Amino acid sequence: MSVSRDTRQTEFPNTPGIPSDPETPAELRERIDRTRRELGDTIEELAARADVKALAQRKAAGAVRAGRRNAVPLAAAGGTVLALVVAAVVLRRRQAQRRRYPLRHDPRTPASVRRLVERMAA
């Protein structure tokens, strides 16, 4: 089934890549080369957008720069968090020890009470 030139021009009047009226083979080659270059540029742009590793590296570099700009507040916040974690660990250990040995090893417990507790435990 052949399509005449008149039908092609009415179906695709200004479509890029489809010549409306090819005059010479050189003009066709130039249009094909231009279309290939445009397609190559588009593919490169899409590949750059889809490159997850490069995107992650750019974001990491940005985070490092932001961290260097805000080094003092960041260090203060990190120190505060570290101090809170250490305090929580120490308090939790003390509570666990008190639960295991409620009255025997508490220095505030009078000696008479400690002896009574030891007798009851034996």
Side-chain angles (χ1 to χ4, degrees), residues 77-122:
T80 303
V81 168
L82 181 64
L84 289 173
V85 168
V86 168
V89 168
V90 167
L91 288 175
R92 185 166 240 167
R93 284 187 179 178
R94 283 186 182 174
Q95 283 180 340
Q97 188 176 14
R98 283 188 186 142
R99 271 188 245 124
R100 271 186 258 146
Y101 310 107
L103 296 173
R104 282 190 230 169
H105 298 290
D106 191 357
R108 295 172 294 179
T109 306
S112 60
V113 174
R114 275 186 269 163
R115 282 189 299 249
L116 180 65
V117 169
E118 288 173 6
R119 275 191 236 149
M120 290 175 64

Side-chain angles (χ1 to χ4, degrees), residues 21-37:
D21 188 19
E23 296 177 8
T24 64
E27 182 181 310
L28 279 175
R29 283 189 197 97
E30 196 277 322
R31 286 185 181 180
I32 290 170
D33 289 340
R34 184 173 358 119
T35 303
R36 283 183 182 156
R37 282 192 305 271

Side-chain angles (χ1 to χ4, degrees), residues 35-69:
T35 303
R36 283 183 182 156
R37 282 192 305 271
E38 289 172 358
L39 184 60
D41 292 344
T42 303
I43 289 173
E44 285 178 9
E45 185 178 329
L46 288 173
R49 288 183 185 178
D51 189 5
V52 176
K53 183 178 179 182
L55 179 65
Q57 287 175 345
R58 283 194 302 264
K59 287 196 177 208
V64 167
R65 280 194 303 273
R68 287 183 181 155
R69 279 193 304 262

